[in-house]
Amino acid sequence: MTTDAWRNSLDHYQEFVIIVALDLKIEVTFLLASGLIIFSVADWHERTVPFFSFTGWCLTLLVCFPHDLFGMMLLAVMIGGLAVVSQGLGSADVMLIALLACVLRLEAALIVTLIACGTACLHWIVARPPSLPMISHLAAGYACFALVNGGL
């Protein structure tokens, strides 16, 4: 194989990798955003999500798009401990934050969670509800984060 042929095949391989990466980014964005919309509506109305549907969606994302399993476990332990101590977060909230850490990145999940906490504070100041739909606020945080990063 000549040097030119080698470079040409390498260029085609790099183009293929870029196309696959862009396709996966679109797929993960679509799957993540659609699930967040569905489950945030359920959380907003009922303050709970369907267990099997939510767990299946989480497992689908983890199997199809694993990224940072260590970050997911670390964040799950920290947020899970906070949820137990404060009794303010539900198990689905903790699972979703850990899932965001795995699929996006740990830093991105922390930014999304920070935005979600801000929108939850605004929601509480305006409406003073007895409980807050955190999944809905995480969906809003992800939407803001994705819009800024060009993901939506």
Side-chain angles (χ1 to χ4, degrees):
M1 186 178 239
T2 66
T3 306
D4 291 334
W6 175 255
R7 286 183 185 152
N8 192 20
S9 65
L10 185 60
D11 288 341
H12 287 298
Y13 176 73
Q14 288 173 339
E15 289 172 7
F16 174 74
V17 168
I18 290 170
I19 290 169
V20 168
L22 289 174
D23 189 41
L24 286 176
K25 183 178 179 186
I26 291 169
E27 289 176 8
V28 74
T29 301
F30 174 74
L31 190 58
L32 189 58
S34 60
L36 280 171
I37 290 169
I38 291 167
F39 295 115
S40 68
V41 169
D43 192 36
W44 187 274
H45 290 291
E46 302 170 21
R47 298 299 195 263
T48 186
V49 293
F51 176 76
F52 291 110
S53 302
F54 184 76
T55 305
W57 173 70
C58 289
L59 289 175
T60 301
L61 279 166
L62 286 175
V63 168
C64 293
F65 309 105
H67 191 279
D68 183 10
L69 294 175
F70 175 74
M72 179 192 76
M73 290 185 280
L74 178 68
L75 199 56
V77 168
M78 290 183 342
I79 300 294
L82 176 66
V84 168
V85 170
S86 69
Q87 297 178 354
L89 291 173
S91 60
D93 303 327
V94 173
M95 284 175 56
L96 180 57
I97 294 169
L99 176 78
L100 291 173
C102 181
V103 174
L104 300 176
R105 288 182 329 274
L106 182 59
E107 298 84 10
L110 291 173
I111 291 169
V112 168
T113 305
L114 181 64
I115 296 169
C117 289
T119 61
C121 286
L122 289 174
H123 181 191
W124 186 81
I125 289 169
V126 170
R128 304 264 187 205
S131 65
L132 292 169
M134 194 61 186
I135 292 176
S136 301
H137 293 288
L138 287 167
Y142 174 71
C144 293
F145 179 79
L147 284 172
V148 168
N149 285 331
L152 282 180

